[in-house]
Amino acid sequence: QVQLVESGGGLVQTGGSLRLSCALSGGNLRTYTMGWFRQTPGKERAFVAAVRSNGGSTHYGDSVKGRFTISRDNAKNTVYLQMNSLKPEDSSVYYCAAGAGLIWSSLWSSNNYAHWGQGTQVTVSS
């Protein structure tokens, strides 16, 4: 049973940084495309970033390009999301997700990821 556990969320001021971690257990991180999504109340879960299993190419949502960096450490079975230059609109619950066999066009949809973490809250104060 694959389980994902996020950590690293918290409260930060505008312009600050946070690094989220997502530890995968019950499986091998190498076999999964890993994604980060975020969701605020009343809104759909939105794509933030993904790193593919096949060599680790990365992809980002337009609103975070140039500010966020996704990375993976297969030896530690952990994926990270480094968030810099944070803005109040980045405040959300951030979810880690794992999907197998995802092609490029399927990275953006939460429906294509089979496993999810419980989420971690990020709050950016203005």
Side-chain angles (χ1 to χ4, degrees), residues 83-101:
M83 305 186 295
N84 298 328
S85 302
L86 283 162
K87 306 174 182 179
E89 51 265 42
D90 294 317
S91 297
S92 191
V93 177
Y94 283 72
Y95 296 91
C96 174

Side-chain angles (χ1 to χ4, degrees), residues 69-89:
T69 302
I70 188 171
S71 61
R72 61 193 298 152
D73 186 334
N74 289 333
K76 295 183 178 180
N77 252 18
T78 301
V79 64
Y80 304 97
L81 184 69
Q82 177 67 44
M83 305 186 295
N84 298 328
S85 302
L86 283 162
K87 306 174 182 179
E89 51 265 42

Side-chain angles (χ1 to χ4, degrees), residues 102-125:
L102 300 187
I103 60 176
W104 180 85
S105 60
S106 64
L107 295 178
W108 327 106
S109 173
S110 61
N111 293 331
N112 296 317
Y113 292 78
H115 307 287
W116 291 86
Q118 81 288 353
T120 185
Q121 177 71 48
V122 171
T123 303
V124 184
S125 63

